[in-house]
Amino acid sequence: MTIPPAIAWAAGVIAVLVAAMPVTRERLTRFAELTGLDVTTADAGRIVAHFARLRRRRLVAVLCAVPVTGLTGDPFYLVVGWCAAALLSRPQAGPPIYRTSWLLGLTCAVAAGGYLLATDGVTSTRLAHAAVAAVAAVVALAVSLRFPAASDGTATGLAIGHWSARSLYLSGAAIALSAAFLTPAREPVPERSASATTSYATERAAFTDVKKLAAPTCPFADDTDVPCRAWLVNGDPFPQAATYLIVEGAPPRRAPFARSHDRKAAVYLDRYDRRMMYHHEAELRALTGPLTDGEVPEPTFVRQSRYVALTHDGARIIDTGTWTTLSVPDADHVHDLNGSGFVVSTASEVRVLDHRGRVRMTRPLRKDDAYHLRPDGDRLVVVNGQRVDTYDPSTGRRLSRVTAGFTGDAFLDAAVGWAGDRLLVRDAYSGRLYRLDLGTGEVRRR
């Protein structure tokens, strides 16, 4: 791993300050507790001299390591500087657990280093780490085998020798493990738009009916199978449709893909030229010019495939029969549209407009309301659950409020159209269609 230069220098300064701290009474107490030694006044001077000598060596080593750490941003060299002093001591043979810990640390470091070299390749930094760790291992082995300290036979001498052996082996293990795990981070892969053109698909698919539609599931994985990176139309990849939109400061979201209620047409963002496209069997027509990901509108089909509404900072309603367009600047959603006008909503209200864009009626926007405009434009029906309200758009007055008169397990699922002056509704239980009388709430099988 690498760290920012400011943090590397700050860590080096802290290490120097800690290494320069004098030997304290607490250090002697900890030494006595860990070794089980009863320290006398005569022994205290010898113990203090040992730790003072170790402190001087560590301070020199850390001072040498700080510039290297600061310039490279690699904390491994700070670990080496801190542990190097213990490698230069002359220990006696300590408990076997210390040597076992060192050998275990070396084994783990070799295994981890070999895995990283095999998966990520050889780098100059990894080679430098390996060389330093190898030198530290050789020094530790040489010190422990060839230069054992002669014991004076006293308890203090044995305690100091064992303490030195402990420090030697643990420091060697720390250097080896740091060499393996404090490796530089991999260079980040440049982020790219998931909806950008890729080389795996340059053909354009066609359809007669959009019977099944499945969204992509892997926006950034270039090495996976094609189907998870494309919209699926009737189970086959539809490569010309963009998959994801990337906008700065926001998480990726799927690019729009809408199909008409009769499943004969679709509107989607073209992957290659970045236009919103209307696709109806063999007919292909651009609805917009080239767009950035932040400008892409949300398409909605209204009244089968005759009208398409594109909403983004306002709405554009396109008649696919005549290819005329009407713009509603502050509309957020188009609810219904027919030959007499259309129903749109803004952030706070619902509006009934004629085809010239003139407002005929407004009412507050309420959650879960569904709006349906009668083909002649004389009635607006608002459905919420089982309640059905009818309004006169010319005056804004409510004419009636009824509850759908279903019996038994049947209940109103949604309004799907008109049958003369009656609202055509669907039963949620059976899926059957009924005609609903707006004055009485009576329902009759179609």
Side-chain angles (χ1 to χ4, degrees):
M1 63 179 290
T2 55
I3 56 180
I7 297 179
W9 286 105
V13 170
I14 293 174
V16 170
L17 294 177
V18 174
M21 293 179 61
V23 181
T24 61
R25 181 182 297 274
E26 288 75 14
R27 183 71 178 273
L28 295 177
T29 302
R30 180 168 173 267
F31 172 78
E33 290 176 351
L34 292 177
T35 58
L37 179 67
D38 292 330
V39 180
T40 64
T41 304
D43 296 332
R46 184 177 178 182
I47 298 173
V48 170
H50 167 74
F51 283 110
R53 183 169 55 254
L54 182 64
R55 179 182 65 85
R56 288 192 298 271
R57 292 175 179 173
R58 177 168 293 151
L59 180 59
V60 172
V62 169
L63 287 173
C64 295
V66 166
V68 180
T69 302
L71 294 174
T72 63
D74 191 344
F76 167 69
Y77 297 105
L78 200 60
V79 175
V80 174
W82 187 268
C83 298
L87 299 180
L88 302 178
S89 60
R90 300 183 64 187
Q92 285 186 327
I97 185 62
Y98 298 147
R99 184 181 179 85
T100 302
S101 299
W102 175 54
L103 294 176
L104 181 61
L106 288 179
T107 303
C108 293
V110 170
Y115 173 78
L116 291 174
L117 289 174
T119 56
D120 295 341
V122 178
T123 64
S124 58
T125 303
R126 289 197 176 96
L127 289 177
H129 284 200
V132 173
V135 171
V138 171
V139 170
L141 184 63
V143 169
S144 62
L145 296 181
R146 297 183 60 185
F147 304 106
S151 172
D152 56 8
T154 64
T156 303
L158 290 174
I160 293 175
H162 291 172
W163 184 272
S164 298
R166 171 182 177 273
S167 300
L168 170 70
Y169 288 127
L170 295 184
S171 296
I175 292 175
L177 293 173
S178 299
F181 293 105
L182 294 182
T183 55
R186 298 178 64 180
E187 290 296 325
V189 177
E191 193 174 282
R192 66 174 180 86
S193 173
S195 57
T197 303
T198 55
S199 59
Y200 74 88
T202 56
E203 72 279 4
R204 291 180 178 272
F207 61 81
T208 301
D209 298 307
V210 186
K211 297 178 180 179
K212 294 189 299 182
L213 179 65
T217 57
C218 50
F220 299 116
D222 288 338
D223 56 347
T224 54
D225 293 335
V226 169
C228 80
R229 292 190 290 134
W231 288 93
L232 299 182
V233 174
N234 301 329
D236 297 321
F238 197 75
Q240 64 261 45
T243 53
Y244 281 79
L245 303 177
I246 309 297
V247 179
E248 185 176 357
R253 63 183 178 92
R254 286 194 181 101
F257 194 121
R259 63 177 174 177
S260 61
H261 304 292
D262 61 4
R263 301 185 178 186
K264 299 290 186 181
V267 173
Y268 55 85
L269 177 67
D270 191 277
R271 178 191 295 268
Y272 307 110
D273 61 16
R274 313 298 296 156
R275 302 170 188 262
M276 294 298 295
M277 305 299 295
Y278 172 83
H279 196 151
H280 182 268
E281 296 182 347
E283 181 181 9
L284 189 63
R285 180 182 289 264
L287 301 181
T288 68
L291 302 168
T292 65
D293 282 10
E295 298 171 335
V296 175
E298 191 66 31
T300 306
F301 278 95
V302 188
R303 295 292 175 186
Q304 304 301 325
S305 59
R306 175 65 186 270
Y307 298 97
V308 176
L310 303 178
T311 54
H312 177 77
D313 294 335
R316 290 179 58 232
I317 301 173
I318 303 169
D319 185 341
T320 62
T322 63
W323 297 109
T324 56
T325 300
L326 178 66
S327 297
V328 185
D330 53 351
D332 294 333
H333 187 72
V334 178
H335 298 274
D336 198 6
L337 190 150
N338 55 40
S340 65
F342 46 93
V343 184
V344 302
S345 61
T346 66
S348 59
E349 65 180 8
V350 177
R351 298 175 182 175
V352 180
L353 310 176
D354 62 21
H355 276 284
R356 287 177 290 183
R358 294 183 302 185
V359 179
R360 300 181 59 203
M361 170 187 168
T362 63
R363 70 184 306 271
L365 177 64
R366 294 177 182 172
K367 185 180 179 181
D368 299 328
D369 281 354
Y371 304 92
H372 304 273
L373 186 64
R374 205 166 70 182
D376 60 10
D378 289 341
R379 295 292 182 267
L380 173 69
V381 173
V382 182
V383 179
N384 188 318
Q386 304 302 298
R387 189 189 70 201
V388 181
D389 294 339
T390 304
Y391 293 84
D392 182 354
S394 62
T395 63
R397 186 170 61 90
R398 189 177 70 190
L399 302 178
S400 66
R401 169 174 287 181
V402 299
T403 300
F406 286 103
T407 58
D409 294 331
F411 64 94
L412 193 157
D413 178 33
V416 297
W418 292 88
D421 60 352
R422 296 196 175 203
L423 189 66
L424 197 61
V425 298
R426 182 174 60 234
D427 168 29
Y429 181 74
S430 65
R432 295 171 179 170
L433 298 181
Y434 293 80
R435 291 177 295 174
L436 185 145
D437 189 309
L438 298 175
T440 64
E442 178 188 11
V443 293
R444 292 184 179 179
R445 282 285 305 273
R446 184 183 181 187

